[in-house]
Amino acid sequence: MSTAYTIYPDHLRLAVRLTPNAGRNSIDGFETAAEGEAYLKARVTAVPEDGKANKALILLLSKTYRIPKSSISFVSGETARKKILRIEGDPEDLKAKLEKG
């Protein structure tokens, strides 16, 4: 089974599928797409314009996993539904936070 994150020596990369303009802000757990690609499902109430949904996603991840907002950045997918995020920090610590939910 593939995982939604990749571990690097000083950070972790997380695949996220974001649903903007949702009824609530939430992390809906990990899911695997039909083609075998894994990602973290997230939804935010913010609209997908001027980076509002992306900012809301970073805030949601920061609050949910107790990660500083400044340590989360985009690797790719800023204007797409599927995104790759770079989360700075101890990868094992970050992995434990993600798996614990």
Side-chain angles (χ1 to χ4, degrees):
M1 182 188 128
S2 67
T3 59
Y5 52 83
T6 309
I7 292 179
Y8 291 85
D10 63 341
H11 71 282
L12 181 141
R13 288 194 183 176
L14 176 66
V16 176
R17 183 171 182 274
L18 180 65
T19 302
N21 221 1
R24 60 190 163 88
N25 291 325
S26 69
I27 303 276
D28 295 337
F30 290 101
E31 193 167 277
T32 304
E35 63 272 13
E37 178 186 17
Y39 50 83
L40 180 70
K41 279 179 63 175
R43 62 180 78 209
V44 293
T45 56
V47 292
E49 57 192 43
D50 301 327
K52 290 177 184 161
N54 287 343
K55 285 188 184 104
L57 172 63
I58 287 175
L59 186 64
L60 177 64
L61 290 171
S62 171
K63 282 183 172 174
T64 304
Y65 298 115
R66 293 183 176 86
I67 301 166
K69 286 188 305 218
S70 59
S71 70
I72 305 171
S73 60
F74 286 87
V75 174
S76 66
E78 285 185 68
T79 59
R81 187 175 280 255
K82 289 187 179 170
K83 306 169 183 304
I84 304 290
L85 299 178
R86 176 185 173 115
I87 305 174
E88 299 291 332
D90 175 8
E92 289 302 322
D93 182 43
L94 294 169
K95 177 183 164 201
K97 285 180 180 179
L98 288 172
E99 288 179 349
K100 195 169 59 181

